[in-house]
Amino acid sequence: MPRKIVWTNGQDTQIRRLRTEGASWDVIALTLGLARWTVIERGRLIGVGRRPANAAAAPEEPGRAPLAAGHPDSWGAINRNTTLDGTPFQLPGAIR
């Protein structure tokens, strides 16, 4: 049986804030460390709906080649707001 989640005001506020800023349900779920559908259901219960119409959408470039491992764009996106933020990419096994 799934464990019961006791929601806090802080979690509800974080869901509202992130959704207002344009975050997807996936990002919010990762931030809270919960399942996507759990967060969606909680958002529905507290009255958080769709992302705002003016939320910035990720630019799509369907013809773009994949970025190389450690590319500053992807490495920065992965590590933003973590302890690795600002740390340059290092190839595994590379001696520095």
Side-chain angles (χ1 to χ4, degrees):
M1 177 173 230
R3 65 182 172 96
K4 179 178 167 97
I5 298 172
V6 178
W7 293 95
T8 64
N9 287 335
Q11 289 170 317
D12 290 347
T13 301
Q14 195 168 22
I15 291 170
R16 284 187 190 96
R17 181 182 55 80
L18 289 170
R19 196 64 177 167
T20 302
E21 291 173 358
S24 67
W25 289 118
D26 293 320
V27 170
I28 297 170
L30 283 172
T31 302
L32 295 175
L34 297 167
R36 180 177 182 266
W37 285 107
T38 302
V39 175
I40 291 171
E41 181 63 19
R42 182 60 181 178
R44 187 184 67 76
L45 289 173
I46 62 174
V48 177
R50 297 176 182 254
R51 288 193 297 189
N54 60 355
E60 292 188 27
E61 300 176 37
R64 180 183 61 78
L67 298 175
H71 188 280
D73 289 343
S74 60
W75 182 250
I78 292 169
N79 295 305
R80 189 172 296 119
N81 297 324
T82 69
T83 57
L84 293 176
D85 197 359
T87 305
F89 179 75
Q90 191 172 0
L91 287 171
I95 300 173
R96 290 191 185 219

